[in-house]
Amino acid sequence: MELSKEEFLEQFGGNYGYPDAPKGIDEMRAADFKRLEGMVYLDHAGATLYSEAQMADVMKDLTSNVYGNPHSQSDSSMAASDLVTAARHQVLKYFNASPREYKCIFTSGATAALKLVGECFPWSRESCYMYTMENHNSVLGIREYALSKGATVLAVDVEEVVDLAKNHGSDSLYRISRHSDQRRGKDVLLHNSQNGSLSNIPGNNWNIFAFPSECNFSGHKFSLSLVKLIKEGKISLKQQIVFSTLIKCITYRGKWMVLIDAAKGCATEPPNLTMYPADFVVCSFYKIFGYPTGLGALIVKNEAANLLNKTYFSGGTVAASIADIDFVQKRKSIEQVLEDGTVSFLSIASLRHGFKMIDTLTTSAIGRHTASLATYVRKKMLALKHSNDISVCTIYGQQASKVEGLKTGPTITFNLKREDGSWFGYREVEKLASLSGIHLRAGHVCWDDNDIINGKPTGSVRISFGYMSTYEDAEKFLKFLQSSFVSLPVQFNNRCMLNLNNLNLLDSWSQKAVSDVRLRSITIYPVKSCQGFSVKSWPLTTGGLMYDREWLLQGLGGEILTQKKVPELGSIHTLIDLELGKLFIESPTCKDKLQISLLDCLADVSEEVDVFGQRYEVQSYDDRVNTWFSEAIGRPCTLVRCSSSKYRSCTYTGLRDRPCRDTQSKLNFVNEGQLLLISEESISDLNRRLSSGNGGCKQKLLVDAMRFRPNLVISGSSPYSEDNWKRLQIGDACFTSMGGCNRCQMINLRQDSGQVFKSKEPLATLASYRRKKGKILFGVLLNYEDSKEGENEIVAEKWLQVGQQLYPSTE
């Protein structure tokens, strides 16, 4: 690694690490970012990190001074007013904007600043809102205001013209290619054709052209020369007609204003508004120096500010208003008119401490530092190959560009391919990154796990470097890609295939007869995520093991509470006495044990709840029960019992990996199958890997079967032979295998003396050899075959007993 760093420094040493600053990158990281020890943070495009020195200055400031509401005239209020005024000038200075030409309007963030422009801009039927295809959703959202006023909306691609000889006499270095017009209503946009340029034709209507200084997705940096070219009408606006060589040139009436979304770009290269006098620029300060969040700014040119007509008025924005007469006199200051009420003056007071750090490093040095890391990582990623010479990484933006040497920011957005050409889903990448202590951004919209549809990725993975990122961060990320996604020649160990990306669930043993596989334990988990209890024998019902996961806890908002959200659930013990017909529950935080009759008539009123995409009818309990559980977990909650579930069904495809999860069967509050089976031999193999460190585990660790919350534990088979069973008979009860159980972070939680401990294991080691198309598989899910729709009673002779022999079938 040291040799590799020497090579890196030979190439990038002049730009990496702030050689001219009081502290180099290593000293800064050790002194001001101790909390990053053991982790790699690569989501600076989402939010960069504040330094410890910065926060110490903020705390000293706020604990040493008294700042009052700036709308008053007291000493504390005047102190706050002075800080707000100074902060406005500091923001303008950051963008090299003259206070005589620009105003700084504080908002709750860049999104709020964009919304302010959209709702206050004087849109008309002849207006046009034009924006580049590479843009943030918050910029796209302005079109709702434009369309609602009858304006035309137009998305465009910006192409840099490299060969000036082929530029048809234009002095522009860019050409804009338009997509289809967007309009609401039957009005047709009035347009004019004059040399295909965006001309300043006399008129009272106004247009906006919006683009990002740096694309959030690809990291592509747009040239700020677009500002002058748009405002001076020197860019051709052309639309290629399909199946024709005809080119239409369209000109929109009125004057053009330019909006720059600098939320991402200003962290490394803030727009110089003296050189590129845009009319509107928006930013969020947490993107620059981490703190404060919830504070941004609209930097607006005076001429543009005077056009913004704000309908709503609030405290501090008016000089006078009368309640029973339609009269209001707004203040003369444009800042006070456009800002709603009292600004976040304590957050604004904190800005100077963030700018102090940035000024020490300088934005130019930050830009060079982060670009050196991104350039290095991008080059290494493009060089990654599978054993069959297939490229691993597809990087967006840079490769697709027709322009050599395209300027890109410290952002890399990519997807990963397997050696067979199929895609790794972004959720798989994110999950494995988390196990490796790497923080990155993955997805396409928030909270959506549909990462591969019809064989194609629905989203992507993004990493981005910040001012405190180091070479070591970059190298750890590259090693993560190498170890987790690059296929090596297949090796065998203990008859288990170790090709990381193509886990083969077959082994030579599965073709042999099973001699003596026995059921070693049975565990019932009445309340989802609480501790279960072991029994020697237990009856089966249409839902699997009787009373298993028949209850769960909900939060006040209706959310399902599990150990991942509420680790305290793991300390709650449960027990069912079939003879007494009672469920007993106890917690170390509750003095009394809770008893619930299994035969109690619950409230007649039932409701439906959604549990991991499955709809259930449930019944609730009274305040006595809910109060007990609320005390046990330290938060308000309610207990519900499953009364019925909608049946789920699917048809098997006959493939070995069996992607279909359910046959027609009743389900209690389980995630997928009715029962979970674990093999003692598979546990032993996992512990061997954990102890040896072959799976990547750095510390000696042993786990038992109960860490995986199984219903059934068996012994007598070889490791992972259960993967290949299609059907299974235990005693005289028959089960269908639904395939492997996809494990999550929950198996990394460990309870010890009432304390909850979380580590990366054993999930990280399992990920090193038990991965199958984005899933980390361990144990198998079973459904009881004797289920009949509508049948809820106990099936008389079908009881499971410890010691019973298993008869698996791979056919």
Side-chain angles (χ1 to χ4, degrees):
M1 183 171 176
E2 287 303 319
L3 179 61
S4 181
K5 185 171 184 178
E6 289 176 5
E7 293 172 344
F8 169 82
L9 292 176
E10 283 181 9
Q11 184 176 0
F12 299 104
N15 294 321
Y16 173 81
Y18 311 110
D20 298 326
K23 290 182 181 178
I25 181 62
D26 294 332
E27 185 182 357
M28 180 206 307
R29 184 69 173 258
D32 293 333
F33 296 93
K34 294 186 285 291
R35 64 190 188 278
L36 287 180
E37 184 176 355
M39 70 174 68
V40 176
Y41 185 85
L42 295 176
D43 189 23
H44 296 274
T48 200
L49 302 175
Y50 51 80
S51 75
E52 293 170 23
Q54 172 190 350
M55 297 309 296
D57 288 343
V58 170
M59 182 59 66
K60 181 180 179 181
D61 185 0
L62 297 183
T63 55
S64 303
N65 298 290
V66 178
Y67 299 121
N69 190 313
H71 290 166
S72 300
Q73 297 295 318
S74 65
D75 291 345
S76 58
S77 299
M78 295 303 294
S81 295
D82 291 342
L83 276 181
V84 171
T85 300
R88 295 191 201 276
H89 285 280
Q90 196 163 25
V91 173
L92 293 177
K93 179 183 176 182
Y94 187 71
F95 291 93
N96 199 20
S98 168
R100 293 187 298 272
E101 297 180 17
Y102 284 90
K103 294 291 186 290
C104 172
I105 314 298
F106 285 117
T107 63
S108 63
T111 294
L114 291 166
K115 180 174 179 287
L116 182 64
V117 173
E119 67 184 2
C120 299
F121 193 76
W123 303 107
S124 71
R125 293 183 179 181
E126 292 188 346
S127 294
C128 177
Y129 176 48
M130 187 184 301
Y131 49 82
T132 55
M133 286 291 290
E134 292 184 78
N135 248 316
H136 195 280
N137 263 341
S138 299
V139 174
L140 187 63
I142 291 178
R143 73 182 183 187
E144 296 302 304
Y145 293 105
L147 289 171
S148 66
K149 296 294 181 66
T152 295
V153 169
L154 185 61
V156 297
D157 290 305
V158 176
E159 177 187 354
E160 185 172 354
V161 180
V162 180
D163 188 353
L164 297 180
K166 298 180 180 179
N167 203 17
H168 305 291
S170 171
D171 58 356
S172 169
L173 296 177
Y174 300 89
R175 183 181 293 112
I176 298 179
S177 301
R178 48 179 287 160
H179 293 255
S180 299
D181 289 355
Q182 303 173 53
R183 280 183 69 86
R184 289 179 184 163
K186 299 181 180 179
D187 293 329
V188 178
L189 178 70
L190 299 177
H191 58 78
N192 191 311
S193 298
Q194 290 189 358
N195 302 321
S197 63
L198 302 177
S199 303
N200 289 329
I201 301 174
N204 295 324
N205 60 290
W206 298 86
N207 312 298
I208 292 181
F209 179 86
F211 71 97
S213 60
E214 181 182 321
C215 178
N216 271 42
F217 176 75
S218 67
H220 169 207
K221 286 189 173 184
F222 284 80
S223 172
L224 297 181
S225 62
L226 282 169
V227 175
K228 288 185 177 180
L229 295 173
I230 290 292
K231 292 177 72 67
E232 295 172 3
K234 292 182 178 180
I235 288 188
S236 298
L237 177 62
K238 299 179 181 294
Q239 178 182 29
Q240 186 74 42
I241 306 300
V242 180
F243 305 122
S244 170
T245 59
L246 176 65
I247 300 292
K248 284 187 177 180
C249 299
I250 298 178
T251 301
Y252 295 97
R253 295 181 182 276
K255 295 182 180 179
W256 282 89
M257 292 194 161
V258 177
L259 183 156
I260 299 177
D261 175 12
K264 173 63 183 73
C266 68
T268 56
E269 190 177 355
N272 185 330
L273 295 183
T274 296
M275 293 180 62
Y276 308 105
D279 301 281
F280 308 100
V281 177
V282 302
C283 69
S284 289
F285 296 107
Y286 70 92
K287 301 265 188 164
I288 305 174
F289 36 71
Y291 180 88
T293 59
L295 183 66
L298 168 66
I299 296 89
V300 55
K301 210 169 186 182
N302 291 338
E303 178 189 15
N306 292 329
L307 290 176
L308 299 181
N309 181 22
K310 190 168 185 180
T311 303
Y312 175 78
F313 66 86
S314 60
T317 67
V318 295
S321 64
I322 301 177
D324 58 350
I325 298 176
D326 182 12
F327 173 80
V328 60
Q329 179 66 51
K330 294 185 178 180
R331 291 181 181 269
K332 293 182 180 180
S333 167
I334 192 65
E335 295 97 334
Q336 292 174 323
V337 170
L338 294 179
E339 291 169 347
D340 287 330
T342 301
V343 293
S344 183
F345 58 92
L346 293 182
S347 293
I348 294 172
S350 302
L351 291 180
R352 56 179 173 164
H353 306 297
F355 279 120
K356 173 185 175 183
M357 182 271 303
I358 295 295
D359 291 342
T360 299
L361 299 176
T362 74
T363 54
S364 59
I366 292 173
R368 293 192 301 272
H369 171 79
T370 54
S372 67
L373 290 170
T375 302
Y376 171 72
V377 171
R378 190 179 290 109
K379 181 179 179 180
K380 292 287 188 180
M381 289 176 67
L382 291 174
L384 286 177
K385 305 284 186 182
H386 289 295
S387 57
N388 61 356
D389 209 35
I390 295 294
S391 294
V392 177
C393 304
T394 296
I395 297 179
Y396 301 104
Q398 180 79 2
Q399 291 188 147
S401 172
K402 301 177 182 178
V403 181
E404 192 70 26
L406 175 71
K407 288 183 64 178
T408 55
T411 297
I412 304 172
T413 302
F414 61 94
N415 272 315
L416 303 175
K417 275 190 174 181
R418 298 184 177 88
E419 59 183 343
D420 63 1
S422 63
W423 297 95
F424 289 100
Y426 61 77
R427 280 291 295 124
E428 179 175 2
V429 180
E430 186 177 44
K431 187 176 184 178
L432 295 174
S434 177
L435 290 173
S436 299
I438 296 174
H439 300 249
L440 45 73
R441 178 72 64 91
H444 65 288
V445 293
C446 295
W447 312 114
D448 190 336
D449 283 348
N450 297 318
D451 54 6
I452 300 291
I453 296 179
N454 296 326
K456 296 182 179 180
T458 61
S460 57
V461 184
R462 184 185 73 187
I463 63 169
S464 46
F465 296 95
Y467 70 88
M468 81 298 298
S469 297
T470 63
Y471 164 81
E472 286 72 22
D473 292 333
E475 200 62 32
K476 287 177 183 177
F477 172 73
L478 290 170
K479 287 186 176 181
F480 159 69
L481 291 183
Q482 177 73 47
S483 62
S484 300
F485 301 101
V486 179
S487 292
L488 303 175
V490 176
Q491 301 174 358
F492 287 87
N493 186 358
N494 193 26
R495 296 171 295 185
C496 298
M497 191 167 284
L498 299 182
N499 187 330
L500 298 185
N501 302 319
N502 292 282
L503 174 63
N504 190 333
L505 299 182
L506 292 173
D507 58 31
S508 58
W509 179 90
S510 65
Q511 307 302 324
K512 301 177 182 179
V514 179
S515 57
D516 187 22
V517 184
R518 298 274 175 179
L519 181 59
R520 293 306 181 197
S521 69
I522 304 170
T523 306
I524 315 299
Y525 304 90
V527 183
K528 188 174 181 68
S529 274
C530 294
Q531 287 194 24
F533 63 96
S534 297
V535 295
K536 294 296 183 182
S537 63
W538 199 258
L540 290 160
T541 72
T542 56
L545 291 166
M546 190 179 189
Y547 299 126
D548 185 58
R549 294 175 178 88
E550 196 162 309
W551 291 263
L552 62 72
L553 290 167
Q554 287 183 287
L556 288 183
E559 70 276 16
I560 306 304
L561 302 184
T562 67
Q563 279 194 40
K564 281 184 282 189
K565 295 180 180 178
V566 188
E568 292 80 5
L569 288 171
S571 64
I572 297 178
H573 296 263
T574 61
L575 175 67
I576 287 179
D577 190 314
L578 292 177
E579 292 185 1
L580 295 177
K582 288 188 176 182
L583 166 62
F584 297 92
I585 310 173
E586 57 181 326
S587 165
T589 61
C590 296
K591 180 180 179 181
D592 298 322
K593 184 184 297 185
L594 181 65
Q595 299 183 30
I596 297 176
S597 172
L598 302 177
L599 305 178
D600 271 353
C601 293
L602 303 180
D604 292 333
V605 179
S606 63
E607 58 179 317
E608 277 201 355
V609 299
D610 185 287
V611 182
F612 305 114
Q614 172 74 2
R615 298 298 297 174
Y616 294 87
E617 287 186 1
V618 300
Q619 293 182 305
S620 308
Y621 284 87
D622 57 22
D623 289 343
R624 176 186 68 90
V625 172
N626 295 332
T627 300
W628 190 94
F629 273 104
S630 298
E631 181 182 348
I633 67 173
R635 60 188 292 177
C637 62
T638 58
L639 182 71
V640 297
R641 183 178 184 179
C642 178
S643 56
S644 69
S645 70
K646 304 288 190 287
Y647 285 74
R648 294 189 287 189
S649 62
C650 79
T651 303
Y652 279 124
T653 62
L655 299 176
R656 280 286 185 181
D657 55 357
R658 299 192 294 278
C660 239
R661 306 305 283 175
D662 291 315
T663 55
Q664 191 176 58
S665 57
K666 177 188 174 183
L667 299 176
N668 286 338
F669 296 129
V670 295
N671 293 357
E672 296 177 286
Q674 292 175 337
L675 297 87
L676 172 62
L677 179 146
I678 295 287
S679 155
E680 287 185 346
E681 286 72 23
S682 299
I683 289 287
S684 296
D685 181 76
L686 171 60
N687 280 325
R688 178 181 61 79
R689 296 172 190 273
L690 289 168
S691 298
S692 66
N694 290 339
C697 181
K698 297 181 180 179
Q699 56 184 5
K700 294 296 177 68
L701 173 72
L702 294 178
V703 297
D704 59 20
M706 291 302 105
R707 177 73 74 94
F708 300 91
R709 296 178 63 82
N711 295 109
L712 310 178
V713 178
I714 63 169
S715 66
S717 63
S718 67
Y720 315 112
S721 59
E722 63 272 14
D723 292 332
N724 308 301
W725 298 345
K726 288 187 176 180
R727 297 182 70 252
L728 176 65
Q729 183 174 337
I730 307 176
D732 56 358
C734 296
F735 302 86
T736 301
S737 173
M738 313 310 297
C741 180
N742 185 23
R743 311 312 312 208
C744 66
Q745 296 274 4
M746 191 166 171
I747 65 174
N748 289 337
L749 299 178
R750 176 174 59 89
Q751 297 271 345
D752 187 10
S753 303
Q755 298 293 315
V756 179
F757 298 92
K758 183 178 179 180
S759 68
K760 302 296 182 183
E761 297 293 351
L763 193 59
T765 293
L766 285 173
S768 70
Y769 75 107
R770 293 289 300 170
R771 236 169 72 223
K772 179 69 173 178
K773 292 187 177 180
K775 297 179 178 179
I776 303 172
L777 304 177
F778 194 76
V780 293
L781 298 164
L782 303 176
N783 272 3
Y784 179 40
E785 282 190 356
D786 287 358
S787 305
K788 294 181 181 179
E789 189 169 352
E791 182 182 359
N792 293 314
E793 68 275 7
I794 300 174
V795 181
E797 291 80 20
K798 304 297 174 66
W799 283 57
L800 292 183
Q801 294 185 355
V802 171
Q804 285 177 321
Q805 188 166 0
L806 276 69
Y807 302 93
S809 170
T810 58
E811 300 301 328

